[in-house]
């Protein structure tokens, strides 16, 4: 059957009104999960293809990133939704390896389906899969190679796939390692990645601090060195109600007295800010024009009406500033610091850069020729950042390009011979499922997956790191450890755990009990009301 049709059927599957149980429910879930996962195999690796998401009510979206695609799809089948939860969990856990996890999970599920058809009990299969996963983790531990600082570019470049670039990987390493040094851990929440349309990936740059998308007030300074930054959560203005509340203005004298009082209050707020030592003011709300004048007169850099709370929180973390709620009680302790604050124009975008911050936060500005491309670059960079951050905690790697999956499959098959026959079948199915990774990498590189897999299996009799090596000049089989195609240990371990967990959940489904949707419930109650009204009308007078 045409795969496109099959994915369509999954997206609009009409099981809402059905309540399936037993085999029918399991079958429905297994088919849905396998279809979903199969549709992701074409995007794996450096030669993976893009998917275009054209859901209604969403901007057009093009990507190869499993997490973004799955969370962008409006899936209806509960099993498909479950797979999305899995990808979300995986993304939160490691941030890379999502596509591989989905592929392996789907393979585990479709192979389990065959085993069930052959008469194996789902519980036995799940037990076999769990045993295989435990053994696989032991093998991964045996095969993991310790890495040093100078191996990090290879880890990052493998994660960047066909966007591999020494410049970009150096920028990513600089950012993540600096956060670790300054903050004590490589907390990815302290790294902001922003996409700016225009230019190429090579024009991307690092800001040792934070950036805001906005501009300085035209009348204020555009550049401040040794900045002391005040971030205001509340507007720097006096609401009409504050000044005039409960007051009945009788004549113009009273009105001007009232304005004077307002101005004095504004002056005292401005004085507090200046007294605290701020020379940069960032405000979430607006700043009264009179206060603007007072501040710019003192050479303060001002930006106001900044609505993005997350950006301000990142700015506060980067600079060490506190978000100020009560302006009249601001002190020097509330201010953040940056070596340089500057308004800059990048392509069509005005941004304010807070550079030279010392509190362990950084920003990567990622460029791309179009909005879609810049956003996709941002996603892939973020994935590489997340993978690297976890690698710094573990400093172990495994051969990439499908090498580790072929080796795991080989060793698991050998180990399975010691098990009783039914579990053996499940462990062998597990081994076959892992080989979906080299098969997908080969197919995506335009090679014959069967030929490649046969050759890899032959080479693995001697060398466990033989895998696919994709370069601009073509794809060949090589020693991936030597060639620097290496994946973090944590990513591969999570792939095994995540895939088994998802497969288990779906294989053990024994019923789909979907509650009616809110609309259906409403329709139903309206129908009941209509019947009751009709009945009343029909009653004899
Ligand atoms: N130059 C290369 N040659 C061969 N294989 C590569 C190369 N670069 C990366 N790979 C392999 O590609 C796979 C990763 O592909 P990809 O990044 O598309 O998926 P993922 O990491 O599983 O999921 P995601 O990045 O979407 O979270 C890994 O198996 C990795 O070893
Ligand atoms: Mg990846």
């Amino acid at each position: 059957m045409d795969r496109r049709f099959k994915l369509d059927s999954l997206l609009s599957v009409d099981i809402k009104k059905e309540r399936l149980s037993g085999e029918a429910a399991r079958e429905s879930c297994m088919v849905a999960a396998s279809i979903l996962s199969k549709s992701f195999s074409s995007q794996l690796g450096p030669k993976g293809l893009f998917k275009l998401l054209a859901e209604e009510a969403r901007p057009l979206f093009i990507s190869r990133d499993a997490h973004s695609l799955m969370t962008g799809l409006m899936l209806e089948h509960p099993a498909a939704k479950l797979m999305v939860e899995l990808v979300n969990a995986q993304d939160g856990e490691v941030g890379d390896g999502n596509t591989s996890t989905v592929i392996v999970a789907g393979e585990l599920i479709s192979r389990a389906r065959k085993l069930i058809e052959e008469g194996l009990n789902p519980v036995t299969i799940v037990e076999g899969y769990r045993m295989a996963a435990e053994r696989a983790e032991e093998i991964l531990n045996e095969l993991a190679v310790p890495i040093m600082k100078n191996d990090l570019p290879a880890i990052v470049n493998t994660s960047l796939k066909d966007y591999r670039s020494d410049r970009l990987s150096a920028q990513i390493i600089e950012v993540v390692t600096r956060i670790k040094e300054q903050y004590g851990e490589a907390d990815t929440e302290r790294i902001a990645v922003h996409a700016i349309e225009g230019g190429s990936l090579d024009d991307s740059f690092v800001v040792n601090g934070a950036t805001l998308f906005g501009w300085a007030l035209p009348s204020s300074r555009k550049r401040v060195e040794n900045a002391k930054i005040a971030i205001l959560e509340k507007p720097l203005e006096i609401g009409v109600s504050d000044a005039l509340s409960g007051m009945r203005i009788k004549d113009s004298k009273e009105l001007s007295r009232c304005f004077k009082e307002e101005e004095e209050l504004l002056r005292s707020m401005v004085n507090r800010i200046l007294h605290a030592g701020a020379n940069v003011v960032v405000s979430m709300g607006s700043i009264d024009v009179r206060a603007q004048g007072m501040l710019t007169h003192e050479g303060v850099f001002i930006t106001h009406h900044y609505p993005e709370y997350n950006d301000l929180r990142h700015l506060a973390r980067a600079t060490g500033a506190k978000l100020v709620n009560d302006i009249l009680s601001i002190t020097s302790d509330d201010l953040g610091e940056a070596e340089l604050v500057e308004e800059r124009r990048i392509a069509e975008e005005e941004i304010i850069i807070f550079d030279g911050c010392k509190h362990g936060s950084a920003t990567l500005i990622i460029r791309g020729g179009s909005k879609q491309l810049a956003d996709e670059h941002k996603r892939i960079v973020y994935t590489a950042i997340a993978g690297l951050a976890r690698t710094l905690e573990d400093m172990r790697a495994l051969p990439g390009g499908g090498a580790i999956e072929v080796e795991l499959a080989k060793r698991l098959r050998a180990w399975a011979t010691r098990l009783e026959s039914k579990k053996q079948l499940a462990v062998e199915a597990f081994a076959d499922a892992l080989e979906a990774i080299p098969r997908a990498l080969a197919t995506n590189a335009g090679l014959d997956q069967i030929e490649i897999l046969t050759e890899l299996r032959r080479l693995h009799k001697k060398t466990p790191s033989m895998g696919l090596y994709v370069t601009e000049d073509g794809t060949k089989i090589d020693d991936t450890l030597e060639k620097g195609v290496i994946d973090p240990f944590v990513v591969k371990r999570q792939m095994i755990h995540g895939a088994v967990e998802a497969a288990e959940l779906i294989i053990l489904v024994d019923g789909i009990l979907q509650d009616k949707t809110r609309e259906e419930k409403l329709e139903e109650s309206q129908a009941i009301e209509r019947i009751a009204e009709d009945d009343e009308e029909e009653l004899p007078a």
Side-chain angles (χ1 to χ4, degrees), residues 59-310:
L60 211 58
F61 176 73
I62 185 160
S63 181
R64 287 190 289 187
D65 179 63
H67 175 246
S68 319
L69 284 168
M70 283 188 110
T71 44
L73 276 172
M74 291 180 190
L75 296 166
E76 283 189 34
H77 197 293
K81 285 183 183 163
L82 203 63
M83 293 288 273
V84 173
E85 302 259 316
L86 149 83
V87 172
N88 269 334
Q90 163 93 353
D91 200 61
E93 198 64 41
V94 187
D96 195 4
N98 293 321
T99 310
S100 305
T101 308
V102 176
I103 294 172
V104 175
E107 285 287 325
L108 288 173
I109 292 164
S110 56
R111 280 165 204 282
R113 209 172 137 221
K114 281 196 196 118
L115 291 176
I116 292 170
E117 277 167 18
E118 286 164 19
L120 239 68
N121 185 313
V123 176
T124 315
I125 298 172
V126 165
E127 278 171 12
Y129 279 0
R130 278 189 202 151
M131 288 168 70
E134 267 176 38
R135 179 69 198 127
E137 186 167 343
E138 286 169 14
I139 301 170
L140 286 184
N141 273 303
E142 287 162 22
L143 293 171
V145 286
I147 50 169
M148 315 279 282
K149 225 175 158 192
N150 55 4
D151 296 314
L152 296 179
I155 285 270
V156 176
N157 271 328
T158 305
S159 192
L160 290 172
K161 305 187 283 186
D162 52 335
Y163 294 118
R164 64 189 298 137
S165 130
D166 290 340
R167 187 169 183 272
L168 185 60
S169 63
Q171 287 172 332
I172 292 172
I173 293 165
E174 176 197 335
V175 164
V176 181
T177 49
R178 189 173 336 109
I179 302 293
K180 189 168 160 60
E181 277 161 22
Q182 289 184 343
Y183 184 64
E185 65 171 293
D187 179 358
T188 50
E189 294 216 349
R190 304 185 77 91
I191 303 170
V193 184
H194 294 305
I196 295 188
E197 179 183 343
S200 73
L201 195 54
D202 272 347
D203 300 319
S204 304
F205 61 94
V206 175
V207 176
N208 185 8
T211 56
L212 298 180
F213 281 79
W215 47 86
L217 271 181
S219 54
S220 91
R221 280 167 77 182
K222 305 281 184 280
R223 182 188 157 91
V224 175
E225 284 178 19
N226 298 322
K228 302 266 186 226
I229 304 140
I231 307 176
L232 312 180
E233 265 188 313
K234 292 272 168 70
L236 200 175
E237 58 186 15
I238 295 156
V240 175
S241 53
D242 294 355
L244 304 178
S245 58
M247 207 185 255
R248 297 187 85 198
I249 308 284
K250 292 189 210 92
D251 53 32
S252 60
K253 259 192 193 162
E254 206 165 325
L255 188 64
S256 74
R257 187 174 54 80
C258 188
F259 282 135
K260 209 156 182 246
E261 273 174 21
E262 256 189 47
E263 213 166 297
E264 272 164 22
L265 190 53
L266 282 171
R267 164 62 65 193
S268 55
M269 288 201 256
V270 167
N271 281 347
R272 293 303 305 212
I273 292 170
L274 294 172
H275 191 250
N279 51 15
V280 173
V281 172
V282 176
S283 175
M284 254 181 120
S286 55
I287 298 180
D288 186 290
V289 274
R290 290 164 290 180
Q292 286 177 21
M294 296 170 200
L295 287 164
T296 50
H297 184 257
E298 298 297 326
V300 175
F301 179 117
I302 306 172
T303 182
H304 70 155
H305 278 309
Y306 198 87
E308 296 296 332
Y309 183 73
N310 282 345

Side-chain angles (χ1 to χ4, degrees), residues 481-495:
L481 271 186
E482 267 177 21
K483 292 293 172 194
V485 176
I486 50 173
D487 289 307
F489 170 83
V490 282
V491 169
K492 288 295 163 188
R493 184 181 57 192
Q494 182 59 27
M495 174 191 82

Side-chain angles (χ1 to χ4, degrees), residues 346-367:
I346 314 268
E348 298 295 301
E349 208 77 59
E350 308 276 1
I351 62 170
I352 302 169
I353 293 202
F354 298 76
D355 212 347
C357 300
K358 298 195 173 59
H359 290 262
S361 286
T363 303
L364 259 162
I365 300 289
I366 300 299
R367 311 286 305 278

